[in-house]
């Protein structure tokens, strides 16, 4: 079991940017998972934690698909979303860099991403495999490719 740590200070940041109401609402969602009940249990635990830490009402909104989460954040219909690596990058792009990573699990720091090409593209000579650390580090200098 891996833990997610969100500090009260980070959670309070959300309270300061949301509109004033009797009791502000933090609208939260997660990218969907085929283990719906397990995901809802995690949502309940995180909701309880955030409610205690912020004094805000936390409203979990079940998402139909990954893009619903990205679109909800970009349209300001969601305040906090648990994304994977790809959906995080999509959210950053859709919000012009205004989506901010506030927490991640310890195991998320160790995930790797791969660029995959089909064999015909390689054989055509249009794309060549990057085999050394020097070549792959070149990708990091292209901000339009790396989020």
């Amino acid at each position: 079991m891996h833990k997610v740590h969100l500090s009260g200070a980070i959670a309070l940041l959300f309270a300061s940017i949301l509109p004033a109401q009797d009791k502000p609402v933090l609208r939260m969602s997660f990218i969907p998972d085929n283990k719906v009940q397990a995901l809802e249990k995690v949502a309940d635990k995180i909701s309880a934690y955030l409610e205690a830490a912020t004094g805000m009402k936390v409203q979990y909104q079940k998402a139909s698909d990954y893009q619903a989460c990205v679109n909800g954040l970009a349209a300001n219909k969601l305040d906090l979303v648990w994304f994977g690596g790809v959906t995080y990058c999509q959210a950053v792009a859709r919000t012009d860099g205004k989506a901010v990573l506030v927490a991640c699990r310890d195991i998320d720091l160790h995930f790797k991403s791969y660029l995959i090409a089909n064999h015909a593209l390689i054989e055509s000579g249009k794309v060549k495999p990057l085999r050394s650390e020097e070549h792959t580090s070149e990708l990091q200098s292209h901000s339009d490719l790396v989020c």
Side-chain angles (χ1 to χ4, degrees), residues 41-90:
K41 284 182 183 179
V42 170
D44 289 345
K45 288 179 181 181
I46 292 176
S47 294
Y49 171 82
L50 290 172
E51 284 183 5
T54 66
M56 298 173 66
K57 177 177 172 41
V58 176
Q59 183 181 63
Y60 171 67
Q61 298 178 13
K62 189 173 164 183
S64 58
D65 58 36
Y66 286 31
Q67 286 306 303
C69 288
V70 172
N71 293 338
L73 190 67
N76 200 29
K77 293 181 179 180
L78 292 170
D79 304 303
L80 183 65
V81 182
W82 188 328
F83 286 128
V86 172
T87 46
Y88 166 71
C89 290
Q90 291 171 342

Side-chain angles (χ1 to χ4, degrees), residues 21 35 50 56 70 76 81 91 112 114 117 120 122 129 134 140:
Q21 300 174 358
K35 299 175 185 171
L50 290 172
M56 298 173 66
V70 172
N76 200 29
V81 182
K112 295 179 181 178
Y114 300 91
I122 300 294
E134 179 183 323
Q140 295 175 1

Side-chain angles (χ1 to χ4, degrees), residues 81-146:
V81 182
W82 188 328
F83 286 128
V86 172
T87 46
Y88 166 71
C89 290
Q90 291 171 342
V92 169
R94 284 287 315 278
T95 62
D96 295 322
K98 294 178 183 166
V100 177
L101 176 65
V102 293
C104 67
R105 299 173 300 174
D106 55 350
I107 62 170
D108 294 335
L109 298 173
H110 304 289
F111 284 133
K112 295 179 181 178
S113 296
Y114 300 91
L115 296 172
I116 307 295
N118 68 39
H119 189 69
L121 187 62
I122 300 294
E123 285 185 344
S124 74
K126 293 178 182 176
V127 172
K128 295 180 183 176
L130 302 174
R131 301 204 187 277
S132 72
E133 184 70 31
E134 179 183 323
H135 289 123
T136 56
S137 65
E138 289 176 27
L139 287 175
Q140 295 175 1
S141 67
H142 295 281
S143 62
D144 56 328
L145 298 176
V146 181

